[in-house]
Every structure is written in C-alpha cells, then in structure tokens.
Amino acid sequence: MKNTKLDSGIWKGYSQFLKEMIIQPGIAKANLGLSREDVTMEDHPLNPNPESKWNNYFRDNEVLLQIDKDVRRLYPDMAFFQWPTDYPCQLILDPQNDYETLRCRVEQTTLKAQTVDRNRSGVTNVSSPGKSLNLYPSNEYEVLPNGCEAHWEVVERILFIYAKLNPGIAYVQGMNEVVGPLYYTFATDPNDKWREHAEADTFFCFTNLMSENRDMFIKSLDDSQCGITYKMESVYSMLKEKDMELYIKLQEQNIKPQYFTFRWLTLLLSQEFLLPDVIRIWDTLFSDQDRFNFLILVCCAMLVLIRDQLLAGDFTINMRLLQDYPISDVHTILAKAKELQDGS
C-alpha cells in the first residue's frame, strides 16, 4: 500500500521546485512589457553580467530547447509519449497562474533565437530555425491543446527541473533516454494513486539514479576512475578474464570498446532493446547492490553470447553486430551475466 504521507511530502517538495523554477520566472517574463519594474539599469535583457537573471533566463532557454528537441523523439515507435496524461499538473495548468509556460518559451525562443545542440562535449551544431516556421516536423510530437499535457511534456518538465537544480551538469543528450523508462513505469502503474504522482516520483528516482551515474555524463571526468572511459575499458578487462580468445579477436580487429559500449553504458542499454525488455533488465540491475558493476557484467555477457559470430566475422560485420545487437531475449542475457558473476 502506498504511504500517503510520504507521497504528500514528495509532491510538496516537487511542487516547490515547479513554483521556483518555472512559474515564478515565467511570471516575471510575462510581466515584461506590462510592468517595467523587472527591467532596471542594473539588470536588463542585454546585461552581459553572467549573474544577471536575464542572462540566466536566456541560458536556461538554450537548455530547454535541447531538452524539447530530444523528448519529442523519445521512443518514436511507441504512441504512449504522444498521448495526453490522465493526470496533467494542475499547478502548471492553473489559469490563475498567468505566466510564460515552458511550452510558450519553446515556441517563442525557437522563432526568435538559434537552436543550440548540447552534448557531452559542450555546445555544438548552432543553427537558425528562423528560416522555417515549421516548428514540429511530422516525425516529432505535436503539442496538445491548452489544458492537456502529453507524457513527453511531463518528461520535459522533469528534465528541466533537474537541469536547474544541477547546474554543474545541467542537461546532456541521453538523459531523456534514461528518464523515459522510469516515467513510463510510474505512469502506467495499474494503481491510479501511483499514476497520479508519476511526475514527482519519476523526478526523485531519476535524481537518485543520476547521483550514482552522473559522472559518466561529465566529459571532464572521462578518464577518472568514475568516468566513462574507465567503465568502457572495464568491459574489455572483464571480457579478457572471461573469454581471452574473443578479447584477442576484437583487439586484433581494432574494435575499441568506445565504438559500442559508450551507448550501452551511459544509456543503461535503453537503446538496445524494446522498452518492456529494458524495464526487465533494469529490474535486475537496480536490485543488485553493486548495480553498475553488474551492468558491466551484462555488457560482457552480451559479447560472450555472440562470440561465434564475432569470431567468424570481419571488422565490418562485427561492428554491425555490436551496434545493432542481434539477441532480443533479455532473460538469456541476464542469465549469462549471473553465470559470469558467479564465476561459472
């Protein structure tokens, strides 16, 4: 049975984040032009001071645009994220809150500013969308009418709040793929009381998960023991221990672990399997006390299970196998990982 007191506390904390980081800044922006009190000689929209609230606002918009672009493409083969949620955030949709919503910020910023793609290497691919007023291509999600929220909009809000609370990492492409399965699990729970609070529950679960996994998204930590380079090399180190012949074969073909394990590790295999199978893998992964070491075991198991094809293939064939993994039975993979863990 769900602890209603705990749930109430979780929602109260999350709703405070919504007020401070979306509603209040949105009110200040919406008032611009109606009241000039927010524009002073010390702080105005053209103020170059890095501490300027306007500078922060425009910087936030860059992050928001990248989040918006990514969540619209979240699991495109599923209709779920396009559907309206049965529990839209009433705090956000309250008509008494006359403020600039995230939806408005995206629409206005897309028309007026440049689109900035930010990945782990920093800011890249600056392009001007002003050449076209087609904000939402046919292969991306369209915004629902006022008063409704699609599931992807809820995910967008979660990632934006996380980015605001964690300025050191903010948002990095790939986080959307990590939060997606978490939100889907809460938002499709058969208990409607759980579904009602899917947004807040997802936010705090995602925050806890990222507290353990965030170092793999920070480029400056790549070569440290907690960084992604060390983790990728750990897959090959384990493979060397478990299957020397296969390890030597991959080394001889100069197939480096970063060619395929970067995506496997940073996205927790969320791009390698169908969503129900990803959730099954995560169920086992998160129940293991040493979950990220078990993830390395799973990656090693995936290699061992296709060893015959890899030993017989050339560089091109093997790269295709590793970047489009052929085995879909995740139970077989998990069983092999457990076997490797037990030292069999």
Side-chain angles (χ1 to χ4, degrees):
M1 181 178 294
K2 194 166 188 180
N3 187 325
T4 54
K5 289 185 178 179
L6 177 61
D7 184 72
S8 176
I10 289 174
W11 170 247
K12 185 176 181 180
Y14 184 70
S15 64
Q16 189 62 35
F17 294 150
L18 295 179
K19 292 175 184 176
E20 293 179 3
M21 298 172 196
I22 295 180
I23 295 177
Q24 291 174 4
I27 290 174
K29 178 62 167 56
N31 286 340
L32 179 60
L34 299 177
S35 171
R36 309 301 294 180
E37 61 186 17
D38 291 315
V39 181
T40 66
M41 291 297 292
E42 293 77 23
D43 197 7
H44 51 82
L46 298 181
N47 187 350
N49 187 339
E51 301 303 318
S52 163
K53 67 180 180 181
W54 288 101
N55 203 345
N56 290 333
Y57 176 84
F58 295 133
R59 189 162 54 243
D60 288 346
N61 278 358
E62 292 182 356
V63 175
L64 177 59
L65 281 180
Q66 184 61 60
I67 294 173
D68 185 80
K69 180 179 178 181
D70 291 344
V71 295
R72 290 176 187 277
R73 300 180 297 199
L74 189 59
Y75 289 97
D77 55 336
M78 292 179 60
F80 170 79
F81 287 96
Q82 302 178 50
W83 291 345
T85 172
D86 293 330
Y87 301 99
C89 182
Q90 296 305 314
L91 183 64
I92 291 295
L93 298 179
D94 187 347
Q96 295 185 1
N97 289 327
D98 185 15
Y99 71 102
E100 184 186 48
T101 63
L102 293 187
R103 185 183 293 186
C104 291
R105 287 177 68 167
V106 168
E107 291 172 351
Q108 294 178 13
T109 306
T110 303
L111 286 171
K112 295 178 182 178
Q114 291 180 316
T115 297
V116 181
D117 290 353
R118 181 174 185 267
N119 56 25
R120 294 174 70 259
S121 300
V123 177
T124 60
N125 190 22
V126 180
S127 61
S128 176
K131 297 177 181 177
S132 172
L133 296 181
N134 182 16
L135 300 183
Y136 311 117
S138 58
N139 64 335
E140 296 183 355
Y141 302 163
E142 294 187 3
V143 177
L144 296 174
N146 289 334
C148 297
E149 286 190 310
H151 289 293
W152 68 262
E153 291 185 274
V154 181
V155 174
E156 176 176 87
R157 190 159 54 238
I158 292 169
L159 289 170
F160 182 73
I161 294 295
Y162 178 83
K164 288 286 291 177
L165 287 171
N166 298 271
I169 183 173
Y171 172 76
V172 179
Q173 284 179 305
M175 289 182 182
N176 57 309
E177 306 292 352
V178 176
V179 76
L182 293 176
Y183 175 75
Y184 177 84
T185 301
F186 283 116
T188 59
D189 194 281
N191 187 321
D192 59 355
K193 292 297 182 182
W194 282 93
R195 292 200 308 274
E196 182 178 358
H197 299 285
E199 180 175 351
D201 289 343
T202 300
F203 171 79
F204 286 107
C205 283
F206 176 69
T207 299
N208 286 339
L209 177 59
M210 288 301 298
S211 70
E212 301 180 38
N213 194 40
R214 60 177 287 166
D215 291 347
M216 290 202 287
F217 286 88
I218 301 176
K219 186 173 178 59
S220 61
L221 296 178
D222 278 0
D223 297 323
S224 68
Q225 191 166 351
C226 57
I228 184 61
T229 301
Y230 178 83
K231 301 293 185 184
M232 291 187 295
E233 291 174 351
S234 295
V235 175
Y236 265 28
S237 296
M238 184 169 293
L239 180 64
K240 182 178 181 180
E241 176 186 337
K242 303 295 184 180
D243 193 331
M244 177 64 79
E245 183 182 6
L246 179 55
Y247 169 79
I248 292 174
K249 174 72 173 183
L250 296 178
Q251 291 283 64
E252 288 176 347
Q253 292 186 339
N254 198 28
I255 297 178
K256 300 183 183 301
Q258 55 263 39
Y259 293 167
F260 60 96
T261 61
F262 178 86
R263 187 175 71 183
W264 289 9
L265 293 168
T266 56
L267 304 186
L268 306 180
L269 299 172
S270 63
Q271 289 291 286
E272 313 313 313
F273 305 99
L274 297 175
L275 184 54
D277 293 325
V278 171
I279 293 172
R280 175 63 187 90
I281 291 174
W282 284 18
D283 187 51
T284 299
L285 192 65
F286 296 158
S287 65
D288 194 289
Q289 290 185 340
D290 195 7
R291 58 183 62 94
F292 291 106
N293 187 59
F294 189 76
L295 176 61
I296 291 172
L297 280 163
V298 172
C299 293
C300 187
M302 290 170 66
L303 294 173
V304 173
L305 285 171
I306 58 171
R307 72 182 308 273
D308 291 343
Q309 295 108 300
L310 291 172
L311 289 174
D314 58 17
F315 176 87
T316 302
I317 291 174
N318 287 344
M319 283 301 302
R320 190 178 299 122
L321 283 170
L322 294 170
Q323 293 180 348
D324 186 12
Y325 192 73
I327 297 178
S328 59
D329 184 358
V330 296
H331 295 90
T332 299
I333 296 170
L334 291 172
K336 174 58 73 173
K338 190 67 171 66
E339 181 183 315
L340 295 176
Q341 187 180 47
D342 294 339
S344 302

